[in-house]
Amino acid sequence: MKKKLKLGIIGGGPGSWIGEVHRIASRLDNKFEVCAGVFSRNFKKNLSFANKIGIEKNRCYKNYKDLCLGEKNRTDGAEVISVMTPPGNHQEIAEYFIKNNFHVISDKPFASNIKQATSLYKAIKKNKKVIYGLTHNYSAYAMVRNAKKIIQDNKIGKIEYVNVEYIQNWAGNKIVNKKNSKKIFSWKLDKKLVGVSTVLNELGSHAYHLCNYLTGLSKGKLISDIKKFSKDVNLDSNCQVLINYDSGAKGLFWTSTDAKGGVYGLKIRVYGSKGSLEWVQNYPNKLILNSISGATKVLERGFNESGISKNFERIKYGHPEGYLSAFSNIYREIAYKIKNRKSKKKNYYPTAHEGYLTAKFIDACVLSSRKKKWVTF
């Protein structure tokens, strides 16, 4: 039996649904074993949660620095740290562990602002001993990987237009006012925790990353418009962006936390000189391929012409597979990279470079919206 990597966790404790997703994803392919953690700032809750998921009391720490010191000095200590705290803490925690030679898997976004992103990116580039991965999990869906291969193989030609959107409804159709906003939005109202932009760090980072991951488009000019939830609630809840890429392609980007009645979902359409692709997160096992001539094809995960998607699936085509499996693909790929540093096998998981590009895009959007003009990114 192959040795599992020892995983320490920061965040993701009581009440955190994304914490459970990370833990399930890390275990799905038997590549990791959760051995230590800091799950809550409240130490009583911290201990209770550690006990609940089978972590020894002496490996449940008060803070991330204690965890680093404690695990570093153990012969069976954590080798990899998974960060799932609010965005404002990502850079500080990740950088601390990187400097102490721990591998890091971080929830998005890469950092809460461009200053933090620059610092973290430099730290990762400097330390060649560590592997860093970012859980932009939508890029790990089997049919997204298939779409990337189709684009790389020039089957839709030179990219001309990209349309991407990610909408949610955080208020759950409730009427939000100054009194109840903190109860509804919680830490997302705290700029120190959420970073430079709530809607862009939380949702826009996924939308931009997916676009960049599929198309490779990254440089150009943009103009954005960010809208606040209301005069009384200081939370930027909607962002629309027009993009002119240096390649000549045009981009249209929309992300919102205030799409009333909207079903949570991410959608991308890529139009090239020979045809187009469309992928919708709520129907993740299908990819629509439109040729400039001929019939529209609906490609099914793992079936017939969707060959590469078979490399990222766990169950047979025709059966639903999605969010948890995509998350697990990232954990599995990072585990492989840690154990096979010299391997020339292609890596698909999101890296620090992609995280840094996303931070630059978000910074440009915020600047553009504030100055009401086009900005280079």
Side-chain angles (χ1 to χ4, degrees):
M1 184 177 178
K2 290 185 179 179
K3 179 177 172 281
K4 295 179 185 179
L5 290 164
K6 301 287 187 180
L7 182 68
I9 288 176
I10 312 292
S16 169
W17 77 272
I18 200 65
E20 186 172 3
V21 169
H22 274 271
R23 290 189 299 276
I24 293 170
S26 71
R27 297 193 305 265
L28 205 57
D29 294 302
N30 293 313
K31 303 297 182 184
F32 293 89
E33 178 184 353
V34 180
C35 65
V38 181
F39 308 103
S40 173
R41 291 190 178 122
N42 182 313
F43 195 56
K44 188 176 179 180
K45 289 182 179 178
N46 192 15
L47 286 172
S48 175
F49 189 81
N51 181 62
K52 181 180 176 181
I53 64 170
I55 302 300
E56 296 173 15
K57 186 177 179 179
N58 67 335
R59 300 186 78 175
C60 177
Y61 299 89
K62 287 185 177 181
N63 55 61
Y64 71 85
K65 291 183 179 180
D66 284 354
L67 188 151
C68 181
L69 181 63
E71 293 299 305
K72 191 175 182 179
N73 291 330
R74 295 180 65 107
T75 56
D76 62 346
E79 304 156 87
V80 189
I81 300 299
S82 188
V83 182
M84 50 197 84
T85 60
N89 306 130
H90 290 183
Q91 171 262 335
E92 177 186 341
I93 295 171
E95 201 166 316
Y96 190 85
F97 281 98
I98 286 160
K99 287 177 179 178
N100 281 279
N101 296 323
F102 287 84
H103 306 294
V104 173
I105 299 171
S106 178
D107 202 55
K108 58 81 199 163
F110 184 61
S112 71
N113 57 50
I114 190 62
K115 184 179 178 181
Q116 287 188 357
T118 302
S119 176
L120 177 56
Y121 187 57
K122 286 180 179 178
I124 294 167
K125 294 290 284 183
K126 186 178 180 181
N127 191 343
K128 304 297 183 184
K129 294 179 181 179
V130 302
I131 299 298
Y132 176 93
L134 195 56
T135 57
H136 278 300
N137 63 301
Y138 301 108
S139 67
Y141 276 89
M143 293 310 287
V144 169
R145 301 273 172 91
N146 206 101
K148 183 178 178 74
K149 182 71 164 54
I150 288 171
I151 292 170
Q152 288 178 335
D153 289 347
N154 200 36
K155 290 185 179 179
I156 65 168
K158 183 181 178 182
I159 295 169
E160 298 176 343
Y161 306 102
V162 182
N163 174 224
V164 59
E165 66 179 55
Y166 194 178
I167 61 165
Q168 292 188 3
N169 180 15
W170 286 0
N173 299 321
K174 297 185 182 105
I175 296 172
V176 182
N177 54 46
K178 195 171 183 178
K179 281 186 176 181
N180 67 7
S181 61
K182 191 169 184 180
K183 183 178 180 181
I184 292 171
F185 297 132
S186 184
W187 59 267
K188 293 181 177 71
L189 290 172
D190 188 336
K191 282 292 182 183
K192 288 183 180 179
L193 293 179
V194 84
V196 68
S197 169
T198 312
V199 69
L200 286 167
N201 273 347
E202 287 297 292
L203 302 185
S205 59
H206 272 314
Y208 173 77
H209 178 265
L210 181 64
C211 179
N212 169 255
Y213 181 82
L214 279 181
T215 67
L217 297 172
S218 62
K219 294 182 178 180
K221 291 185 177 180
L222 62 80
I223 187 164
S224 77
D225 181 54
I226 298 173
K227 176 189 171 186
K228 298 289 182 184
F229 190 87
S230 71
K231 290 181 180 179
D232 295 326
V233 181
N234 186 24
L235 181 149
D236 50 334
S237 58
N238 194 89
C239 181
Q240 294 161 287
V241 189
L242 291 175
I243 307 170
N244 288 337
Y245 288 103
D246 287 349
S247 67
K250 302 284 188 179
L252 184 61
F253 174 103
W254 174 43
T255 186
S256 180
T257 67
D258 188 32
K260 295 178 179 66
V263 176
Y264 281 33
L266 175 62
K267 177 166 67 176
I268 187 165
R269 292 179 288 178
V270 183
Y271 296 87
S273 56
K274 298 179 183 177
S276 66
L277 287 171
E278 179 175 345
W279 182 80
V280 180
Q281 181 217 338
N282 291 335
Y283 307 98
N285 294 318
K286 298 185 186 300
L287 179 68
I288 298 173
L289 174 60
N290 293 298
S291 173
I292 200 168
S293 60
T296 294
K297 292 181 178 180
V298 180
L299 304 180
E300 172 76 24
R301 173 186 54 78
F303 186 65
N304 287 351
E305 295 177 41
S306 304
I308 191 174
S309 67
K310 293 178 182 178
N311 298 334
F312 312 106
E313 65 177 4
R314 290 170 182 77
I315 55 175
K316 192 177 180 181
Y317 60 82
H319 299 276
E321 185 176 54
Y323 195 83
L324 287 170
S325 296
F327 239 99
S328 299
N329 281 337
I330 293 174
Y331 270 89
R332 180 173 64 185
E333 289 163 345
I334 293 172
Y336 179 85
K337 182 63 176 176
I338 290 170
K339 291 184 174 184
N340 302 275
R341 299 294 293 269
K342 294 182 180 180
S343 173
K344 294 182 180 180
K345 182 179 177 181
K346 183 175 175 60
N347 298 310
Y348 289 90
Y349 66 85
T351 63
H353 178 66
E354 292 163 63
Y356 183 59
L357 287 178
T358 305
K360 286 178 68 176
F361 173 79
I362 290 172
D363 184 68
C365 287
V366 173
L367 183 62
S368 171
S369 184
R370 186 167 67 240
K371 294 194 171 184
K372 306 298 180 188
K373 68 177 188 179
W374 288 86
V375 170
T376 300
F377 69 100

